[in-house]
Amino acid sequence: MTVPEATVVALEEVEQLALDGLRWLTAAARDTPGGGLAWPARLSDDESEPMLYSGTAGVVPVLLEAWRHFGDDTYADAALRAGRSLVDAVDSTEDDSLYFGRTGMALVLRTLREELGDEAAGAAADRALDLVRSHFDGTRWGELFELLGGNAGIGLGALLIGDPGLAVLAMEPYLRTAERTPAGVHWPHRTDVGEARMHHISHGTLGIVLALARVGRATGRTDLVELGLAGAADVLARDEGGPEGFLVRHSTPQYFPDLIEPVNYGWCHGPTGDAQVFRTLRDVTGDPAWSALADRCWHTVTHSGLPQRLRPGFWDNNGRCCGTAGVLALACDRIAEQQDPYDFAHVLVADLVARAIRDTDGARWSNVEYRADPTDLEPCVGWGMGNAGIVRELLRFVRLSRGGDPRYAFPMPDQPPVARPART
């Protein structure tokens, strides 16, 4: 498979698409008591959703990005109003995790205090972490035991919010629950998973590795860092894409083989996300071998055929978690750090432009589920699958292309900051 040929879309058109996406997104907001704003995961949903993955907390990062990008205070005002609804949701939320619960909400609320001076948001972030800590059972917080919904995400979020004690508390159970393999260690991603073990960043070993490495380095816990490296060694031993590439199956044995593709290429279960973990291990260890592994991941991604829709189930998603926007995030990281050519980033952006649904309401994207009827799914709002995640990456691409700052207004906890400034 060769690298797709680049189609260059004018930056002004990309920026206008981002504006149209923001217009659709802000119109989807719902007023809450006390002057707040909240978002559902989809417009057809009756209830608003506070979580970072698909709801209000995940909309705040793109509002902050738009505020920085355009210098328009209406986006900051919307972010503050979103914060009010999150303050109100802290006590009623049932989940404590990073992407699905309180920890992610707390991270966003703390950012609103630091960026916009919202003291009520900062106090609510502290209260949220206190609640998270109170729900710890000594080993875990619930069924999930990984980055998105379990200990690894809670530990990483707590570290970034400024609570290293909670971060270590969340990560220490991995020391006693690690399962030895011929090459290293891995963990079950939930209590009822049976023999299947996932390998990648969202629900698998590499997400735990990322959190172990970052928390371990920040707190001086070399045992956590070493355990993370043992987890990475297990995944490296499963590579089927070398020597130039890097490709590891979704899970072993295959989890839900009738529903899930055995090989994925995105952030969640493929080499796009693997590369973000390897960039983190580069920063933690100083070992250039991790940079070489990230390069191999990128080789596999760019030669996989994405973002073409080669067959049902191959590449059906535009979003940040499982689709094209997540690959664009890594492409821009590489441009900023290594002065990579823009060619593949242009391919990704052109695909997002071509697949946008545009009308008088603005712009949004529909993902595809080939097993559903109809196959085109309702557009989503949030970070993981919807407008918030896609628009955020389009704005960063425009800024980077103009020689601007490659840093995000709100960095996601599992994407390491670029190691060098953007090219000017």
Side-chain angles (χ1 to χ4, degrees), residues 194-217:
E195 295 182 355
R197 297 293 179 264
M198 292 190 181
H199 307 307
H200 300 279
I201 190 170
S202 65
H203 295 302
T205 297
L206 286 182
I208 297 169
V209 166
L210 185 150
L212 285 167
R214 290 194 65 177
V215 172
R217 183 181 69 167

Side-chain angles (χ1 to χ4, degrees), residues 123-180:
D126 294 339
R127 187 170 78 254
L129 282 196
D130 287 342
L131 287 168
V132 171
R133 182 181 281 102
S134 72
H135 296 154
F136 182 54
D137 72 0
T139 300
R140 60 203 303 144
W141 277 265
E143 288 295 311
L144 292 175
F145 197 56
E146 30 71 293
L147 180 71
L148 265 66
N151 287 47
I154 291 172
L156 185 57
L159 178 71
L160 297 176
I161 295 167
D163 192 335
L166 178 58
V168 169
L169 188 73
M171 301 313 298
E172 285 183 326
Y174 290 114
L175 291 164
R176 60 180 182 270
T177 58
E179 299 173 346
R180 291 289 166 185

Side-chain angles (χ1 to χ4, degrees), residues 64-292:
L64 294 175
E65 200 71 29
W67 172 54
R68 289 272 189 91
H69 186 93
F70 296 109
D72 186 342
D73 286 343
T74 60
Y75 295 115
D77 292 340
L80 288 169
R81 292 184 63 194
R84 292 175 201 165
S85 75
L86 292 176
V87 168
D88 294 338
V90 162
D91 295 304
S92 59
T93 297
E94 296 182 359
D95 192 287
D96 288 303
S97 68
L98 176 62
Y99 275 99
F100 306 138
R102 279 192 188 87
T103 301
M105 293 161 59
L107 184 59
V108 169
L109 288 165
R110 178 59 60 87
T111 301
L112 288 173
R113 188 188 75 176
E114 293 174 352
E115 294 294 324
L116 299 175
D118 187 342
E119 294 301 328
D126 294 339
R127 187 170 78 254
L129 282 196
D130 287 342
L131 287 168
V132 171
R133 182 181 281 102
S134 72
H135 296 154
F136 182 54
D137 72 0
T139 300
R140 60 203 303 144
W141 277 265
E143 288 295 311
L144 292 175
F145 197 56
E146 30 71 293
L147 180 71
L148 265 66
N151 287 47
I154 291 172
L156 185 57
L159 178 71
L160 297 176
I161 295 167
D163 192 335
L166 178 58
V168 169
L169 188 73
M171 301 313 298
E172 285 183 326
Y174 290 114
L175 291 164
R176 60 180 182 270
T177 58
E179 299 173 346
R180 291 289 166 185
T181 69
V185 299
H186 63 194
W187 297 264
H189 77 279
R190 59 184 301 150
T191 56
D192 60 352
V193 73
E195 295 182 355
R197 297 293 179 264
M198 292 190 181
H199 307 307
H200 300 279
I201 190 170
S202 65
H203 295 302
T205 297
L206 286 182
I208 297 169
V209 166
L210 185 150
L212 285 167
R214 290 194 65 177
V215 172
R217 183 181 69 167
T219 60
R221 289 290 300 267
T222 57
D223 56 338
L224 297 180
V225 175
E226 290 170 358
L227 183 65
L229 293 175
D234 173 78
V235 178
L236 296 184
R238 301 177 188 275
D239 171 40
E240 300 176 9
E244 293 185 334
F246 185 85
L247 187 65
V248 172
R249 289 177 176 267
H250 172 276
S251 46
T252 307
Q254 179 66 34
Y255 189 61
F256 289 131
D258 295 337
L259 297 176
I260 298 174
E261 291 275 312
V263 172
N264 296 254
Y265 294 93
W267 172 85
C268 51
H269 293 291
T272 300
D274 300 349
Q276 297 293 10
V277 179
F278 298 154
R279 290 178 63 234
T280 299
L281 293 177
R282 170 204 67 192
D283 296 341
V284 168
T285 67
D287 186 345
W290 297 111
S291 293

